[in-house]
């Protein structure tokens, strides 16, 4: 295409037709880990969130007696949405008060039945949590394939924002992982049917054999199953990420000099690594004591003088009603820099543990947003952290 015909084809657009600026001078996209100084972040919103029907991938995570298996499918109450937004907006304000740039995704309303050639489901989910959907790897942001049918189109909520990043930072790359089909053929439908009759011991035995409802038919991963530590990327194999997904991550990033490792934990519902094994600062990891690493998987950390400390118990015996996550959101924190951490306000013991580990603790009221997709780490996605791609495991 001749540049005479399209004089601006290689130059960033300056304005959307609507007048909203595409170009934000000085905007920078770059992040290599979860602990370097945070400069720019996305915080999710609770608007229009729905509880979708259970689908083959979400089924394993939803407790057998939960109304979320179908009985409660539909829009969440406006009261709960308003309260969750109050928490999320308060969190965003706390970050902004510390000089961190905060973006919010656009509100979308997927209340209608979603039908693709391969599946149908009662509704979408919402625009929380961004951490599951977006993976910032250096100067690129990847939209993950996702394995819950209700979340198939969730990336659309971020498209405008990501386009702004693309137009504003000339080095920023926006990518979409291969789209899965999520047909019945993508799942072990016999497992899906059996799930609610299985005991905890049986689901654990199955998980230790690494058998989940997801098969290897599609390439599947959620971004929250991926932990970035500079040149090393650790990916949890579990309900939301299959081996084909891990192979794709390897082929995508290893040619760029990253090393991709698979991690597994003794967890009967392994979903998202960020309430299981969390980097706190260079040399320090926080491990969920109820989800030990598989044999041999501590070695890479220990050989490189990383300390692994076990998280203290959560403050709560149960998650809030209609919540998909476990009580271990207590350890799902947002690290602002090597010395500062945001911890949920009711998690006093977790706050004390961080205090003893030498962190300044910033309490954040977020529990009433947990049901919308998780804790402080889940509710955010990195755009820019200062720092470079370090080799922590030479
Ligand atoms: N998205 C993090 C949830 C992990 C958990 O339920 O423990």
């Amino acid at each position: 295409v001749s540049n005479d015909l399209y004089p601006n084809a290689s130059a960033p657009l300056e304005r959307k037709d609507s007048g909203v600026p595409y170009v934000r001078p000085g905007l920078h996209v770059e992040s290599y880990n979860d602990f370097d100084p945070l400069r720019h972040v996305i915080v999710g919103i609770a608007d229009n969130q729905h509880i979708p029907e259970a689908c083959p991938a979400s089924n394993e995570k939803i407790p057998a007696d939960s109304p979320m298996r179908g009985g409660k499918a539909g829009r969440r109450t406006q009261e709960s949405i308003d309260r969750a937004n109050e928490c999320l907006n308060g969190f965003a304000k706390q970050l902004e008060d510390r000089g961190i740039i905060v973006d919010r995704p656009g509100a979308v309303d997927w209340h209608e039945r979603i039908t693709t050639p391969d599946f149908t489901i009662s509704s979408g989910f919402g625009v929380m949590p961004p951490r599951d959907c977006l993976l910032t790897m250096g100067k690129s942001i990847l939209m993950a394939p996702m394995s819950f049918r209700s979340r198939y189109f969730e990336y659309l909520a971020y498209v405008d924002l990501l386009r702004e990043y693309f137009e504003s930072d000339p080095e920023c790359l926006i990518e979409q992982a291969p789209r899965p089909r999520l047909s019945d053929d993508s799942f072990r439908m016999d497992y899906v049917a059996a799930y609610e009759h299985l005991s905890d011991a049986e689901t654990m035995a199955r998980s230790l054999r690494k058998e989940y409802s997801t098969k290897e038919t599609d390439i599947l991963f959620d971004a929250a199953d991926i932990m970035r530590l500079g040149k090393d990327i650790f990916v949890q194999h579990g309900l939301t990420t299959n081996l084909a997904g891990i192979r794709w991550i390897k082929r995508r990033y290893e040619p760029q000099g990253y090393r991709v490792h698979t991690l597994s934990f003794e967890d009967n519902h392994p979903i998202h690594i960020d309430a299981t094994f969390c980097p706190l600062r260079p040399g320090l990891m926080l491990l969920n004591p109820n989800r030990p690493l598989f044999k041999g998987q501590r070695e890479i950390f220990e050989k490189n003088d990383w300390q692994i400390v076990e998280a203290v118990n959560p403050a709560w015996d149960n998650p809030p009603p209609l919540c998909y996550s476990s009580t271990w959101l207590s350890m799902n924190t947002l690290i602002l820099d090597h010395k500062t951490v945001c911890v949920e306000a009711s998690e006093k013991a977790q706050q004390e543990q961080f205090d003893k580990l030498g962190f300044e603790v910033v309490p954040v009221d977020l529990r009433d947003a947990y049901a919308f997709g998780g804790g402080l780490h889940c509710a955010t996605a990195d755009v820019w952290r200062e720092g470079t791609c370090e080799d922590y495991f030479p």
Side-chain angles (χ1 to χ4, degrees):
V1 176
S2 137
N3 269 348
D4 296 341
L5 280 176
Y6 296 98
N8 292 322
S10 60
L13 300 172
E14 286 184 357
R15 298 265 151 194
K16 284 184 194 175
D17 290 343
S18 61
V20 178
Y22 264 129
V23 175
R24 290 155 67 180
L27 187 145
H28 191 84
V29 174
E30 191 165 14
S31 176
Y32 300 99
N33 56 55
D34 276 320
F35 44 57
D36 278 349
L38 184 65
R39 300 287 305 273
H40 187 166
V41 72
I42 299 172
V43 173
I45 57 173
D47 301 55
N48 305 323
Q49 207 187 73
H50 283 68
I51 297 174
E53 293 166 350
C55 78
S58 69
N59 198 54
E60 280 202 51
K61 181 63 182 159
I62 303 174
D65 55 356
S66 169
M68 288 189 293
R69 279 188 175 271
K72 273 278 180 195
R75 195 182 184 84
R76 287 186 187 263
T77 65
Q78 194 56 45
E79 190 188 3
S80 68
I81 289 172
D82 291 345
R83 173 67 189 126
N85 269 335
E86 197 183 328
C87 292
L88 290 162
N89 296 344
F91 180 28
K93 171 88 172 48
Q94 280 178 284
L95 297 173
E96 282 174 339
D97 287 348
R98 289 178 165 263
I100 296 164
I101 302 165
V102 178
D103 284 335
R104 315 300 296 277
V108 289
D109 194 354
W110 291 303
H111 58 279
E112 291 192 9
R113 203 164 182 87
I114 292 174
T115 301
T116 76
D118 293 304
F119 67 82
T120 178
I121 186 144
S122 59
S123 72
F125 189 67
V127 196
M128 253 291 281
R131 189 70 68 174
D132 299 0
C133 198
L134 302 178
L135 178 72
T136 309
M137 281 289 303
K139 295 196 63 60
S140 68
I141 301 185
L142 176 74
M143 294 174 270
M146 318 290 283
S147 55
F148 286 17
R149 287 174 172 170
S150 57
R151 306 190 73 183
Y152 189 76
F153 291 113
E154 200 165 303
Y155 72 98
L156 292 172
Y158 301 101
V159 162
D160 287 351
L161 204 49
L162 297 182
R163 182 70 197 281
E164 283 189 14
Y165 299 164
F166 175 78
E167 298 297 350
S168 303
D169 180 342
E171 290 180 295
C172 166
L173 202 59
I174 303 301
E175 297 173 290
Q176 168 70 67
R179 304 292 290 148
R181 300 193 68 157
L182 306 184
S183 70
D184 284 1
D185 197 35
S186 306
F187 302 99
R188 290 185 171 98
M189 295 306 282
D190 53 335
Y191 271 39
V192 175
Y195 176 77
E196 58 187 295
H197 308 293
L198 297 179
S199 66
D200 281 353
E202 286 167 320
T203 53
M204 180 63 98
R206 228 175 55 172
S207 181
L208 296 180
R209 295 196 303 271
K210 300 186 188 248
E211 292 172 5
Y212 308 109
S213 296
T214 39
K215 296 198 299 197
E216 295 295 324
T217 317
D218 283 324
I219 289 170
L220 294 176
F221 58 90
D222 278 7
D225 281 316
I226 299 164
M227 177 174 80
R228 303 158 307 139
L229 280 170
K231 279 187 173 298
D232 290 85
I233 305 171
F234 296 85
V235 189
Q236 170 173 245
H237 177 208
L239 305 187
T240 37
T241 294
N242 64 8
L243 294 174
I246 298 174
R247 276 204 309 283
W248 189 88
I249 294 163
K250 263 179 162 321
R251 276 189 219 169
R252 169 64 190 82
Y253 295 111
E254 286 197 337
Q256 291 195 320
Y258 291 102
R259 296 175 291 245
V260 176
H261 314 265
T262 306
L263 288 181
S264 295
F265 302 85
E266 294 180 27
D267 177 1
N268 49 2
H269 309 295
I271 174 171
H272 304 159
I273 199 165
D274 56 357
T276 297
F277 197 39
C278 305
L280 304 185
R281 62 179 175 238
L284 184 61
M285 298 293 303
L286 190 66
L287 177 65
N288 185 321
N290 281 10
R291 300 173 185 169
L293 276 155
F294 269 34
K295 197 166 182 302
Q297 295 199 326
R298 300 173 74 102
E299 273 169 24
I300 181 169
F301 295 92
E302 289 170 349
K303 274 207 310 222
N304 288 281
D305 296 325
W306 280 60
Q307 191 190 355
I308 300 177
V309 295
E310 291 196 344
V312 295
N313 283 330
W316 299 80
D317 292 333
N318 290 297
L322 304 179
C323 179
Y324 291 88
S325 306
S326 74
T327 54
W328 288 99
L329 290 182
S330 54
M331 57 181 285
N332 185 278
T333 63
L334 183 71
I335 311 270
L336 303 187
D337 56 45
H338 297 187
K339 291 185 171 158
T340 317
V341 59
C342 295
V343 184
E344 209 289 319
S346 63
E347 296 292 348
K348 301 290 183 209
Q350 189 56 73
Q351 291 175 25
E352 274 170 35
Q353 182 177 33
F354 276 111
D355 184 56
K356 287 191 187 128
L357 288 168
F359 283 88
E360 177 204 340
V361 174
V362 181
V364 176
D365 174 22
L366 203 85
R367 186 171 158 86
D368 289 338
Y370 277 7
F372 289 74
L376 295 155
H377 190 257
C378 307
T380 54
D382 287 18
V383 180
W384 178 24
R385 285 183 189 265
E386 283 175 11
T388 49
C389 187
E390 298 292 319
D391 189 351
Y392 299 110
F393 304 97

